[in-house]
Amino acid sequence: MKVIGLCGGSGSGKGYISHLFLQYGIPTLDTDAVYRTLTAGPSPCVSELSARFGATVVGKDGGLDRAALRGIIFGDKNATAQKLALLNRITHKYIWKETEKWLQAQRQAGTKVVLIDAPVLYESGFDRACEAVIAVLCPAEERRRRIMSRDGLDSESAQRRMDAQMPDEELAGRADYCIRNGPQDQPGMQVSALAMQLLNE
């Protein structure tokens, strides 16, 4: 089974690209969704996050208060990178355990190609488990607009989130394949060609 990494900054449209690949029988594991499930209620992951970032990141239901955590991570731009690195060190080990379970299930099902959608694929080290990596790229202005619309953020907050991530130029230089998902692009055609290539190699 081929394991392909899928990465891209916030607002690049990885979810949409994943949906397009699924039409060709290529499933995607969304590691953000795994993270949300792991932190939806009391869990070892939430306990460790609380120990490092404070009890305010735990909601009344015992799950992670993502808004409170975002405020801590992005509230001080001078410390954002350091706090993000700590957050990733804590969460990635839990996410990877679930990812391994999913990969094993896909192997047993006879799936030929799978995608691991990880926004911080390289930073997490998940790329080492992938045969190749696809980067989803989108102009910064469009990404910022999508983030503001999707998450209800102002322009400055959206930009801070983008600045904390690996820039598109670096992603493009490190990835094996790139899919451009801006307003003037045709991602469907790009996905179709790449899906056929991956399935037939």
Side-chain angles (χ1 to χ4, degrees):
M1 182 178 76
K2 293 179 185 175
V3 179
I4 309 297
L6 182 69
C7 63
S10 184
S12 62
K14 294 184 305 300
Y16 174 63
I17 298 301
S18 295
H19 174 73
L20 294 178
F21 272 108
L22 186 58
Q23 296 176 8
Y24 297 91
I26 300 177
T28 302
L29 178 69
D30 180 351
T31 57
D32 265 355
V34 172
Y35 172 55
R36 287 192 294 272
T37 299
L38 286 171
T39 57
S43 70
C45 184
V46 173
S47 296
E48 192 168 348
L49 290 171
S50 175
R52 296 300 184 94
F53 291 103
T56 58
V57 303
V58 181
K60 293 180 180 179
D61 60 356
L64 181 66
D65 185 331
R66 292 165 63 90
L69 181 59
R70 279 197 301 269
I72 292 172
I73 297 292
F74 296 102
D76 178 1
K77 63 180 180 181
N78 295 320
T80 293
Q82 181 181 359
K83 290 177 180 177
L84 267 178
L86 175 58
L87 171 66
N88 291 337
R89 281 198 302 273
I90 294 170
T91 59
H92 289 161
K93 59 189 176 188
Y94 295 102
I95 294 170
W96 183 247
K97 286 182 181 179
E98 298 304 313
T99 300
E100 286 183 313
K101 293 177 186 177
W102 183 80
L103 289 173
Q104 183 59 29
Q106 293 298 326
R107 288 189 182 96
Q108 292 175 347
T111 307
K112 191 170 182 180
V113 181
V114 299
L115 301 179
I116 298 177
D117 173 358
V120 288
L121 186 80
Y122 292 107
E123 297 91 331
S124 66
F126 286 11
D127 63 300
R128 292 193 291 271
C130 302
E131 293 183 33
V133 173
I134 301 167
V136 181
L137 310 175
C138 180
E141 183 177 339
E142 176 64 14
R143 287 178 56 202
R144 186 165 51 250
R145 185 194 67 77
R146 292 174 182 175
I147 295 169
M148 292 168 63
S149 174
R150 181 189 67 198
D151 298 335
L153 298 178
D154 59 29
S155 180
E156 183 179 350
S157 298
Q159 187 63 49
R160 277 204 304 271
R161 184 178 299 183
M162 292 167 60
D163 291 343
Q165 299 176 331
M166 190 178 292
D168 274 7
E169 294 78 10
E170 185 172 354
L171 285 177
R174 297 180 69 170
D176 300 279
Y177 309 100
C178 293
I179 292 176
R180 300 194 176 275
N181 190 31
Q184 306 304 318
D185 298 313
Q186 295 181 312
M189 295 178 64
Q190 299 172 65
V191 169
S192 177
L194 183 51
M196 291 299 99
Q197 179 181 337
L198 294 172
L199 289 167
N200 293 316
E201 284 179 341

